Amino acid sequence: MNPLPIPVADARPASGHFESIGGEPAVTRIVDAFYRQMDARPEARVIRAMHGPDLAPVKAVLVRYLCEWLGGPKHYSAERGHPRLRMRHAAFPIGAAERDAWLDCMRAALDETRTDAALRDMLMQAFFRIADWMRNNGS
């Protein structure tokens, strides 16, 4: 698949995926599965430690972000402004291992929630571009 023709910081799937994925209820299931994966996978231990013990607030933010990113309601931007993902994550050392652990958890979450294979693959390509751009540590 060709790279998206938009800046990596704003890389998002074409509009319409929000509805095709199942709207906010499906996004919420994906986020819940993502954090279950993060808790369960030894290779995700470092990225899990970047979060507090109570995941409820960060889950809510990720749901809002992904809903908007997928073409749904713009609640994230209304509440938090521009995503500025790199700035918001600058305090956390993110190298290739952290990127890969994040991507592994997201792929497993999409598999667990039975996201359509073609849509999953397209999302994972976009997630890779964003996650790779977030790296701020040479490792």
Side-chain angles (χ1 to χ4, degrees):
M1 180 174 284
N2 293 330
L4 298 174
I6 52 183
V8 70
D10 296 320
R12 68 181 76 223
S15 62
H17 290 304
F18 177 73
E19 294 302 327
S20 66
I21 208 166
E24 188 171 339
V27 173
T28 299
R29 286 190 301 274
I30 291 166
V31 168
D32 287 341
F34 171 76
Y35 282 105
R36 270 195 308 279
Q37 290 293 326
M38 193 181 288
D39 279 335
R41 292 171 170 265
E43 68 272 18
R45 184 178 70 254
V46 171
I47 60 171
R48 176 58 180 92
M50 295 177 185
H51 300 76
D54 180 9
L55 290 173
V58 77
K59 283 181 177 183
V61 169
L62 185 55
V63 167
R64 285 186 200 97
Y65 174 78
L66 288 177
C67 284
E68 186 170 325
W69 186 75
L70 288 163
K74 299 190 179 304
H75 299 307
Y76 178 93
S77 292
E79 292 173 15
R80 300 177 61 92
H82 188 280
R84 296 187 175 132
L85 295 178
R86 203 157 181 196
M87 179 194 79
R88 293 181 195 271
H89 291 82
F92 306 104
I94 301 171
E98 292 78 17
R99 174 203 62 201
D100 293 348
W102 192 96
L103 290 167
D104 288 346
C105 290
M106 185 55 75
R107 176 175 286 284
L110 293 171
D111 289 345
E112 179 183 325
T113 57
R114 297 189 173 115
T115 301
D116 172 77
L119 178 57
R120 180 204 60 219
D121 292 345
M122 192 276 310
L123 292 174
M124 288 305 300
Q125 287 180 18
F127 284 141
F128 177 84
R129 285 190 292 278
I130 293 169
D132 194 55
W133 178 77
M134 299 283 288
R135 291 188 314 148
N136 57 20
N137 182 351
S139 63

